[in-house]
Amino acid sequence: MALDDTIQQVIKKIVLRNAIEYGGSAKYDTVISKVVGLRPDLRPTIKEQIPLIKKIVDEVNSLDLADQEKMASKLSVFENVHKAAKRKEEAKLPPLQGAIMGKVVTRFPPEPNGYPHIGHAKAAIIDQEYAKMYEGKLILRFDDTNPLNEQLKYYDAIKEGLEWLGIKPDLVKNTSDDIKLLQSYGMKIVSQGDAYVCTCKSDDIHSMRAKGVDCPCRSLARSDYITRLERFFDGSFEQNEAIIRFRGNMSEQNSAMRDPTLFRIIDADHPKLGRRIRAFPTYDFAAPVEDSLDGVTHAMRTKEYELRNALYFSVLRSLGLREPVLLEFSRLEFEGMPVSKRKLKPLVEGGLVSGWDDPRLPTLAALRKRGILPEAIHKFVLSLGISLADTKPPFESLESYNRKLIDMISLRLFFVKHPVEIRIINPILVKIELKNHPTAQLGTRNVQTSDRIYIDRADADRLKSGQEIRLMELYNIRLDEVAQEKDGDYLRVINTGQEIKPNIPKVQWVSKDDMVPFTVIVPDKLFSNEEFNKNSLHTYNGIAESYASKVRVGSFIQFVRFGFCRLQTNGVAIYTHD
Ligand code: ATP
Ligand code: MG
């Protein structure tokens, strides 16, 4: 029947793909879940398909890798997969309200107060994408008006992170470049009566704000508040002695409008201005003024600023400045991998992680080190779109984009994380040539086999339980006896032939005559249930085939039945994902 044919075809492709990805052996459960994922219409009747799926899995597994590859190429298994992925990845952002081709200006405005992370990547990518979509401009503006938080190293780290992401702003500037201009707008807004200098104690300000009561400084005579204004900018006030507040409405429901702070005095070294300047605008004042003066047409920011939108426009209206369109999107962070400095800083400073590029962190430096490609981040961010729904996707959702990219450039090699020695009674001692990748042209390598071979502890346990297993690309083995020696136990095994048998586990191995010590560092969830996960980094001091020592640092390896890794130094890799 035609319909059955298609189902069969679909299953066969899935099985082949899975088999090839796992070194020649498809996994039955993975295949079932992939079938249901790809053909949700089959879900209700999946039970009926199980015998068919089983049959195809067995058929495919009984072929050797080379024949599986031939069949896969005949059925265009990988082409179709790539095409489908491409369609999904070409996610586009929705049109921008009021955007005119060639006239859109967006900006990414980080405060240089920390290392850039996945959340910044989201904001910067969306900003850049819109600028591109409308053939407009992207501004990178360092919002640096709080010298207590900002440091030169963060400007550099942010620039570096964006460069790595492939984000090329048309203009790079600092808000602090405009400090005098911002101060003159500050003087203007006070002298025209839309803001005032407040000298109340900060506790009193808080309580009046909470109660919605006007502050006495609000109703000073004009001559008095002009004097205060002059003193504010001529350096007569000490830090914390006076602030400039917007004349909002103290009984406003939206507390952001209860006379918020526009300027404060800060005595600290500013990374760009040194000690020349003491009166600094707040974000609430600097952001709208800068956006307007910079010609930004569409200003995007995260949703938690929503309550401040009214203030943003009020400031611009008071100053008679052009109003950009404001847009919000949700904050992004991964489940179990917070971006907040409040949570990460103690871990870095307390030595609980190795630094801001520790592979467990969501910083761009960490993602880069771990082997996440910038292109994967772009695709992932665009797939999320600009919804307002709070997103805490699992890290796996980024991984799936990355996997597609690194799949074709990763060498398939063997690594054994917990080596157990086996000795083969009747070995075949040869040099075998193995392909470095099932489909991509990544060359071949020669492996010297031996009568002593290492397999993983979990696989050795299967042998012990009487199961026959296949050493991938080599031959099948069965346990003869568990032998004891003073240096430890080893397993004596019998080579039971090269015939490919369905349903016997295929395992990776490393030959004693062709091995190097090899360490893989595996990052796990940094937080579980809001608590730092003390067990979030695993180190496997195992062995790999000697070819692993010839791989260039920085390249990708897919250790068969283990996962993708990126080589850090000779003999040490970080696990990227499975
Ligand atoms: P932090 O508290 O980490 O400093 P922030 O929001 O103050 O966070 P900025 O450096 O000021 O960080 O952010 C620059 C831009 O990046 C802003 O437009 C901000 O909205 C956006 N952004 C920051 N964090 C995230 C995030 N987690 N997801 C999406 N966008 C973010
Ligand atoms: Mg910040």
Side-chain angles (χ1 to χ4, degrees):
M1 265 181 350
L3 182 66
D4 277 355
D5 266 344
T6 9
I7 293 173
Q8 198 157 351
Q9 201 87 335
V10 168
I11 296 172
K12 197 158 203 169
K13 289 182 179 184
I14 292 172
V15 173
L16 278 168
R17 179 158 193 246
N18 189 253
I20 293 168
E21 282 178 352
Y22 285 92
S25 174
K27 288 184 189 154
Y28 184 58
D29 291 342
T30 319
V31 168
I32 293 181
S33 70
K34 293 233 154 125
V35 170
V36 176
L38 215 69
R39 288 284 300 265
D41 55 308
L42 294 181
R43 186 185 287 274
T45 57
I46 190 69
K47 277 222 169 83
E48 294 162 29
Q49 308 294 341
I50 286 183
L52 177 63
I53 296 179
K54 251 191 159 128
K55 186 169 149 259
I56 297 178
V57 168
D58 289 350
E59 258 170 39
V60 168
N61 283 356
S62 71
L63 301 171
D64 65 16
L65 196 56
D67 285 337
Q68 289 172 351
E69 281 159 13
K70 267 187 226 146
M71 187 181 279
S73 97
K74 219 163 41 203
L75 295 177
S76 318
V77 168
F78 287 93
E79 275 161 54
N80 288 346
V81 167
H82 293 318
K83 253 187 237 156
K86 203 153 196 176
R87 232 174 293 129
K88 195 171 148 214
E89 280 163 10
E90 275 163 10
K92 272 231 146 168
L93 296 173
L96 269 185
Q97 173 204 334
I100 301 171
M101 208 54 172
K103 300 263 188 279
V104 168
V105 179
T106 60
R107 90 301 186 246
F108 173 61
E111 186 183 4
N113 65 346
Y115 291 94
H117 52 60
I118 187 68
H120 292 121
K122 171 177 176 177
I125 287 169
I126 291 178
D127 287 325
Q128 161 157 296
E129 209 53 35
Y130 273 126
K132 266 212 278 204
M133 195 161 158
Y134 291 98
E135 295 168 16
K137 287 200 162 60
L138 167 69
I139 300 172
L140 165 60
R141 185 180 74 223
F142 287 102
D143 259 345
D144 53 351
T145 61
N146 186 351
L148 295 174
N149 296 338
E150 295 142 13
Q151 292 184 41
L152 273 183
K153 65 176 180 192
Y154 299 130
Y155 292 76
D156 293 338
I158 292 169
K159 271 199 200 128
E160 211 173 288
L162 293 177
E163 227 164 79
W164 173 68
L165 277 178
I167 290 180
K168 296 186 190 75
D170 297 280
L171 174 75
V172 180
K173 65 170 290 191
N174 306 312
T175 298
S176 62
D177 300 342
D178 296 330
I179 194 73
K180 290 286 182 193
L181 189 62
L182 288 160
Q183 288 187 339
S184 72
Y185 276 107
M187 288 176 213
K188 178 169 183 225
I189 203 168
V190 176
S191 41
Q192 71 192 30
D194 290 332
Y196 59 94
V197 177
C198 171
T199 56
C200 296
K201 294 238 165 349
S202 89
D203 287 349
D204 297 336
I205 294 177
H206 277 297
S207 70
M208 284 185 279
R209 238 187 217 138
K211 289 187 211 132
V213 184
D214 277 3
C215 146
C217 308
R218 219 180 194 261
S219 43
L220 291 184
R222 181 171 170 85
S223 61
D224 290 336
Y225 76 70
I226 293 295
T227 314
R228 278 189 175 186
L229 172 64
E230 282 159 4
R231 293 187 58 213
F232 191 89
F233 284 103
D234 74 11
S236 311
F237 284 115
E238 296 298 319
Q239 184 166 306
N240 299 329
E241 228 184 347
I243 54 176
I244 292 180
R245 298 175 69 183
F246 185 70
R247 194 182 291 276
N249 179 351
M250 291 304 276
S251 52
E252 170 83 65
Q253 191 66 29
N254 175 0
S255 57
M257 290 303 287
R258 294 184 192 168
D259 294 13
T261 308
L262 303 184
F263 275 86
R264 65 266 199 248
I265 310 260
I266 302 173
D267 283 316
D269 275 323
H270 185 280
K272 300 279 174 185
L273 303 170
R275 289 246 172 193
R276 278 195 291 129
I277 299 291
R278 299 179 69 239
F280 285 97
T282 57
Y283 172 84
D284 283 331
F285 187 75
V289 174
E290 285 285 289
D291 284 350
S292 186
L293 298 179
D294 288 342
V296 172
T297 58
H298 295 79
M300 283 163 265
R301 55 185 188 179
T302 37
K303 186 173 79 171
E304 75 275 14
Y305 291 103
E306 219 166 356
L307 283 179
R308 322 197 79 81
N309 288 0
L311 176 59
Y312 182 99
F313 292 117
S314 300
V315 165
L316 293 178
R317 257 173 244 139
S318 298
L319 293 170
L321 293 173
R322 183 191 55 91
E323 297 169 26
V325 176
L326 259 189
L327 293 149
E328 283 105 35
F329 50 74
S330 58
R331 282 181 82 80
L332 167 65
E333 69 179 24
F334 294 115
E335 207 181 276
M337 219 194 216
V339 297
S340 139
K341 278 187 283 287
R342 186 174 51 78
K343 289 186 183 158
L344 299 183
K345 214 170 168 190
L347 303 182
V348 175
E349 288 176 353
L352 294 167
V353 296
S354 62
W356 284 98
D357 63 351
D358 185 288
R360 288 166 284 182
L361 301 190
T363 56
L364 297 185
L367 296 173
R368 176 181 187 173
K369 190 166 170 184
R370 178 172 181 166
I372 300 296
L373 299 185
E375 200 184 338
I377 298 180
H378 278 262
K379 289 180 167 162
F380 166 68
V381 163
L382 293 179
S383 77
L384 297 176
I386 54 165
S387 88
L388 288 175
D390 256 325
T391 37
K392 258 198 205 182
F395 192 70
E396 286 77 10
S397 50
L398 168 63
E399 289 177 6
S400 66
Y401 289 94
N402 202 59
R403 187 174 298 112
K404 284 180 200 132
L405 296 170
I406 62 174
D407 183 44
M408 296 308 276
I409 55 170
S410 301
L411 301 169
R412 304 299 198 264
L413 300 180
F414 291 161
F415 167 71
V416 171
K417 66 173 193 256
H418 294 128
V420 170
E421 185 184 322
I422 57 175
R423 294 190 194 167
I424 301 137
I425 299 170
N426 50 343
I428 303 176
L429 299 178
V430 280
K431 224 176 199 151
I432 52 169
E433 189 182 32
L434 297 180
K435 277 171 89 173
N436 291 339
H437 193 281
T439 53
Q441 302 300 317
L442 298 181
T444 60
R445 63 191 187 278
N446 292 315
V447 177
Q448 176 61 54
T449 67
S450 164
D451 61 339
R452 296 184 186 199
I453 275 176
Y454 293 96
I455 60 174
D456 192 61
R457 195 158 64 203
D459 296 325
D461 287 343
R462 303 211 228 186
L463 266 184
K464 278 190 206 160
S465 68
Q467 200 167 15
E468 188 176 15
I469 63 177
R470 179 174 187 79
L471 301 174
M472 282 175 169
E473 316 277 343
L474 202 57
Y475 44 71
N476 308 324
I477 53 172
R478 192 191 296 284
L479 184 70
D480 180 40
E481 66 163 345
V482 179
Q484 275 158 359
E485 242 190 10
K486 55 178 182 325
D487 313 341
D489 298 353
Y490 66 90
L491 305 180
R492 251 160 58 109
V493 303
I494 305 169
N495 163 4
T496 51
Q498 283 172 286
E499 179 199 355
I500 308 249
K501 299 179 184 171
N503 290 333
I504 74 169
K506 296 178 178 172
V507 311
Q508 81 281 20
W509 49 273
V510 173
S511 157
K512 190 155 194 166
D513 292 334
D514 201 323
M515 57 172 268
V516 285
F518 200 93
T519 299
V520 181
I521 298 163
V522 181
D524 203 343
K525 282 235 159 62
L526 186 62
F527 278 76
S528 67
N529 304 324
E530 302 289 307
E531 291 274 330
F532 169 63
N533 173 10
K534 288 199 196 82
N535 208 7
S536 48
L537 197 69
H538 312 284
T539 300
Y540 296 110
N541 294 310
I543 53 174
E545 43 182 306
S546 64
Y547 193 80
S549 65
K550 303 193 183 99
V551 177
R552 199 168 38 83
V553 166
S555 355
F556 289 94
I557 302 174
Q558 185 188 15
F559 283 125
V560 175
R561 297 178 71 234
F562 184 82
F564 290 95
C565 299
R566 182 161 182 259
L567 197 63
Q568 305 296 308
T569 57
N570 200 2
V572 182
I574 291 180
Y575 178 79
T576 311
H577 45 64
D578 65 12

